Amino acid sequence: MSQFSSLRTVRSRALIAAVAATMVVGLVGCTSSDGGGGEGGGGEAVEYVVGFPALLSGPAAFAGVPIADGAKLAVKEINESGYLGEGSTIDLKIDDIKGDPAQAIALFNQYAADGASGILCCGLSSEAGALAPVITDAQTPAIVTSAILAGLADPPYIYRPVILPSQEGGMYDQFIDTVVPAEGIETAVIVVTADNDGMVGDSKVWAAALERNGVEIVKTIETSGADTNFTQAATEIEALDPDAVIGSTLGTPSALLAKSMRERGYDKPFLTTYGVDSEALFTTSGGGLEGTIFMSPFHAGFSTNETATAFVEAYEAEYDAVPDMYGAQGYTAMWLMAMGIKAAGSADPEDVATALEGITEQDSVYGPLMYEGGQASLDGPGVYLVWQADGILKEWND
């Protein structure tokens, strides 16, 4: 049974419609133009095509599938509410890239050639790095769903509503400053997914924050995103016996690393990214994620803002499941694209790109987002969570 089963209730269609209306009001934001109401300038209904090369299979599907589900839920609300003008809708075309950046490029080019007003993309930093120059050349705006590659946002064509915890003074810094003294951490081992630029960049932020707090970094262990066997890393950690392990690692590697560490008797804190905010990954870890502490901008069981509450209710009603961080990312990205289309009042991708550049604020499931240079930021530490032995998440230090 889901840890959030107690949140679920039977909801009428009328309630879901009301939830959708709440989303529309909350997500309008501020733009450079009032737009044309999404009616093509002449009052006629328009069908706006948005492409989405998604991670629906392979190792990253645990994130890619809920990202796609979140985007689909947003489209349903946008279309049913008339957000873009009476009769105007978004046609979200989703195709599986199977974890292959080359396939992402091929699909992006196809969507652009077919006249897409915009594209959702970039679940992984490797995909983002390959796609970024293609997006700029195609002059079709893209909204990044989850990739954390540094410097990725690049108006007028690339926008990222993803919260980057690694920003100076951001969530990683606040997290380490809070958790390290409270847990009495004096020594640490960092494990990094060394073939992922985003994780490598984040590892430097983790290291700087640890050193600022007087923590000795005993060793940095490099791993690969494709690794499935973490015996060697776990054996090294067992021998070094640090006060904590810091995982600048992708979701699945984090779960497998935790499994290996716990099997070898390491029972001290594991601090990592919100990539482990997944019941599926807790299962993958065989319970090894117990004691893992992480921060997150959003969590269904611990969110209090009205937009988040409405999103959780609508997602549960649509999928009979509780949304995770990835579902929130897809949902937020799709709503940002809709805001750009509405402000543009046009299906032309150049017009949508210009309109997106004028968006400075967005009410979101995370709270109020501010945009600068196409990159979202959030003022706040997020929520600190720790996995329990029974697969339940609790607030850390509660």
Side-chain angles (χ1 to χ4, degrees), residues 238-283:
E238 180 187 18
L240 293 167
D241 194 30
D243 294 333
V245 173
I246 313 299
S248 189
T249 43
L250 299 172
T252 298
S254 293
L256 295 175
L257 172 63
K259 179 180 175 68
S260 291
M261 287 193 302
R262 302 317 188 195
E263 287 175 347
R264 279 151 189 79
Y266 184 79
D267 61 358
K268 297 178 183 178
F270 180 36
L271 280 55
T272 189
T273 73
Y274 57 68
V276 298
D277 184 8
S278 163
E279 290 183 1
L281 287 182
F282 187 87
T283 300

Side-chain angles (χ1 to χ4, degrees), residues 3-4 277 294 296-303 312 322-325 383 385 393:
Q3 60 175 303
F4 300 112
D277 184 8
F294 64 95
S296 182
F298 164 85
H299 194 281
F302 303 94
S303 295
V312 171
V322 176
D324 58 16
M325 181 66 190
V383 59
L385 302 172
L393 279 169

Side-chain angles (χ1 to χ4, degrees), residues 158-371:
I158 305 176
Y159 301 86
R160 181 163 53 183
V162 181
I163 305 303
L164 299 182
S166 60
Q167 290 176 321
E168 185 176 354
M171 290 184 179
Y172 288 158
D173 281 344
Q174 295 178 63
F175 180 64
I176 290 296
D177 289 349
T178 301
V179 174
V180 162
E183 294 286 338
I185 296 170
E186 297 182 355
T187 60
V189 165
I190 296 176
V191 182
V192 57
T193 306
D195 56 352
N196 182 286
D197 290 342
M199 294 294 98
V200 171
D202 281 5
S203 70
K204 297 175 182 177
V205 177
W206 287 107
L210 290 166
E211 290 170 351
R212 185 178 65 249
N213 280 274
V215 177
E216 178 188 357
I217 300 172
V218 179
K219 187 169 186 177
T220 296
I221 299 173
E222 295 188 349
T223 62
S224 166
D227 287 348
T228 57
N229 187 331
F230 287 86
T231 301
Q232 182 176 341
T235 300
E236 286 190 73
I237 290 166
E238 180 187 18
L240 293 167
D241 194 30
D243 294 333
V245 173
I246 313 299
S248 189
T249 43
L250 299 172
T252 298
S254 293
L256 295 175
L257 172 63
K259 179 180 175 68
S260 291
M261 287 193 302
R262 302 317 188 195
E263 287 175 347
R264 279 151 189 79
Y266 184 79
D267 61 358
K268 297 178 183 178
F270 180 36
L271 280 55
T272 189
T273 73
Y274 57 68
V276 298
D277 184 8
S278 163
E279 290 183 1
L281 287 182
F282 187 87
T283 300
T284 296
S285 77
L289 282 173
E290 177 190 354
T292 296
I293 309 169
F294 64 95
M295 90 301 296
S296 182
F298 164 85
H299 194 281
F302 303 94
S303 295
T304 57
N305 79 70
E306 291 182 4
T307 302
T309 300
F311 164 63
V312 171
E313 292 177 352
Y315 192 101
E316 285 189 282
E318 185 71 13
Y319 300 113
D320 193 29
V322 176
D324 58 16
M325 181 66 190
Y326 302 110
Q329 287 176 332
Y331 183 81
T332 305
M334 187 65 247
W335 266 107
L336 178 59
M337 180 64 76
M339 289 168 63
I341 291 172
K342 181 179 177 67
S346 164
D348 188 297
E350 284 278 11
D351 293 339
V352 176
T354 299
L356 284 166
E357 195 168 14
I359 293 174
T360 59
E361 301 176 10
Q362 180 185 8
D363 286 340
S364 78
V365 299
Y366 318 121
L369 295 181
M370 304 297 294
Y371 286 91

Side-chain angles (χ1 to χ4, degrees), residues 58-85:
F62 75 90
V65 171
I67 287 172
D69 285 344
K72 288 187 288 186
L73 175 61
V75 168
K76 179 180 179 180
E77 293 174 357
I78 292 159
N79 291 347
E80 291 184 354
S81 66
Y83 176 75
L84 296 176

